[in-house]
Amino acid sequence: MIRFNEPPFLGTEVEYIADAIRQKHIAGGGKYFQLCCGFLEQSFGADFVRLTTSGTDALEAAAILCDIKPGDEVIMPSFTFVSTANAFVLRGARIVFVDVRPDTMNLDETKIEAAITEKTKVIVPVHYAGVSCEMDEICAVAKRHGLFVVEDAAQGIFAEYKGKSLGTIGDIGCYSFHETKNISMGEGGALLVNNPALRDRADVICNKGTNRADFARGLVDKYSWTDVGSSYLPGDLNAAYLYAQLLDHEKIEKKRKDIWNRYHNAMIPLAEEGLLETMCVPDHCEHNAHTYYIKLASAGQREELMKYLSQRQIVSAFHFVPLHSAPAGGVYGRFCGEDVYTTKESDRLLRLPLHYNLTDTDADAVIGAVRAFFGR
Ligand SMILES: *Cc1c(COP(=O)(O)O)cnc(C)c1O
């Protein structure tokens, strides 16, 4: 069977975990926490990175940092994971969904301004499939209206927009290291605070609302409760696993890119025949091969192809049922403007298996099955 996803395992993770155990500090904020934060700061030229217990928790910390109050509005695409919305809903925000662009499935930057009201506080661009949103335009709209930009870069590690790492462009960036992401630690994430004015509170929020981080640095002689916060620091065994993967990230990336290119080169002729649509990566975006998807003619045809692949032991997957159409979507949010593309395009999107352990033979079997489905 060709699985849709398998978490990468390089072998070196075990040594780092053993070392973490020997440090006799396996709670949050230990040796590997520091190493991972430092590695990410250096790799991305970011000033402030903190590992978190998940991408979801990084988004929750971001919502606290933006000081979201009940009734505040947050703009985001409906085509995203539930955590993008929930993180802000937990603070009492109303979610305002804006349509996506059909080419990248990212927030349509031209439709944001019409969704802004006096209550709007944050815009959340989600970099779908590790392909960047149009950040120049989004940050310009945010600046005109005095709004924060929180990048949901959960799928965007090591991807770039005009040479800048995703997650470092808005006021705050959030990564995920869930086992389905390119680089993983089981459950985990990272919070990047790019706006210096927001930085002071970040350590406190991640440390259960205490100034424990200052205490650990010897800046205060005891620590106390200073703000709201939660338990957002991952244990050091998980951080050690992540550190091994970060050190070897190029190996993981190369493998994923090779498979991505193999799929893409094989799908282009089918697209030229008008049988399907391929993924689109704008020239100024450097993607990270997080996902390879195609678009079929309709939801019905997508279902047929999924079934066809599954009969050949190949697991494929659709993505994100739009949040505004989910049971909680109408309770906590509303769609602003017309849903021209969100539902229509997400209905016909299909992701092909893509992971570190996938062989060329596996990829060719997937390609062969897609071709055969179309009688090619
Ligand atoms: C994976 C993902 C998240 C959540 O990350 P977790 O680490 O699973 O909590 C949030 N947003 C998007 C777009 C994601 O793909």
Side-chain angles (χ1 to χ4, degrees), residues 50-343:
R50 293 295 181 266
L51 286 194
T52 57
T53 29
S54 65
T56 301
D57 286 339
L59 286 160
E60 285 183 18
I64 299 174
L65 276 175
C66 293
D67 215 13
I68 295 295
K69 297 273 192 298
D72 287 346
E73 292 180 353
V74 177
I75 293 174
M76 65 180 65
S78 173
F79 182 71
T80 184
F81 190 59
V82 285
S83 297
T84 320
N86 258 338
F88 293 92
V89 168
L90 277 168
R91 312 302 307 161
R94 298 279 309 162
I95 307 301
V96 178
F97 298 112
V98 168
D99 209 7
V100 291
R101 298 161 49 121
D103 57 348
T104 56
M105 299 305 284
N106 283 335
L107 196 56
D108 186 335
E109 67 280 359
T110 66
K111 294 182 181 166
I112 294 172
E113 202 141 29
I116 295 174
T117 70
E118 315 82 274
K119 291 182 177 166
T120 310
K121 205 138 183 198
V122 185
I123 303 171
V124 189
V126 179
H127 305 299
Y128 182 63
V131 176
S132 177
C133 298
E134 291 304 323
M135 293 308 290
D136 283 349
E137 287 77 4
I138 291 171
C139 291
V141 174
K143 201 168 172 194
R144 273 202 295 283
H145 295 271
L147 310 176
F148 291 120
V149 174
V150 174
E151 296 177 71
D152 182 339
Q155 305 182 4
I157 191 143
F158 296 114
E160 293 178 357
Y161 170 75
K162 299 185 180 175
K164 287 185 214 153
S165 296
L166 302 192
T168 67
I169 305 163
D171 296 280
I172 300 174
C174 301
Y175 288 139
S176 167
F177 299 118
H178 185 264
E179 75 163 14
T180 52
K181 302 305 198 288
N182 289 19
I183 312 280
S184 77
M185 56 193 280
E187 298 278 357
L191 175 73
L192 286 73
V193 186
N194 310 314
N195 178 342
L198 299 178
R199 225 165 265 158
D200 277 353
R201 291 182 75 206
D203 267 331
V204 172
I205 288 164
C206 293
N207 276 281
K208 301 157 188 162
T210 71
N211 56 351
R212 195 172 202 286
D214 282 349
F215 174 70
R217 284 185 216 107
L219 299 176
V220 290
D221 55 12
K222 65 177 172 54
Y223 71 88
S224 47
W225 181 19
T226 58
D227 198 344
V228 293
S230 193
S231 183
Y232 290 141
L233 303 188
D236 227 39
L237 301 187
N238 297 54
Y241 185 99
L242 179 71
Y243 190 59
Q245 300 222 334
L246 286 175
L247 289 181
D248 258 341
H249 73 93
E250 279 170 357
K251 208 159 125 187
I252 297 174
E253 241 162 60
K254 182 178 182 313
K255 183 69 191 280
R256 295 187 77 105
K257 283 221 165 123
D258 286 349
I259 300 164
W260 196 99
N261 288 326
R262 208 176 183 88
Y263 281 149
H264 198 55
N265 291 333
M267 294 303 139
I268 286 172
L270 298 178
E272 282 166 355
E273 278 194 71
L275 298 170
L276 51 76
E277 284 167 42
T278 56
M279 230 180 115
C280 160
V281 182
D283 283 344
H284 52 279
C285 302
E286 182 71 48
H287 75 100
N288 61 0
H290 175 63
T291 295
Y292 193 82
Y293 68 78
I294 52 176
K295 283 187 191 162
L296 288 309
S298 63
Q301 193 188 41
R302 174 178 74 177
E303 201 168 317
E304 281 169 36
L305 177 55
M306 273 182 90
K307 212 157 109 196
Y308 186 88
L309 294 175
S310 139
Q311 282 159 354
R312 282 151 190 79
Q313 309 295 310
I314 298 165
V315 184
S316 59
F318 55 83
H319 221 175
F320 307 143
V321 173
L323 294 182
H324 75 283
S325 64
V331 179
Y332 298 112
R334 66 184 161 83
F335 200 97
C336 179
E338 203 190 333
D339 169 9
V340 184
Y341 296 114
T342 301
T343 301

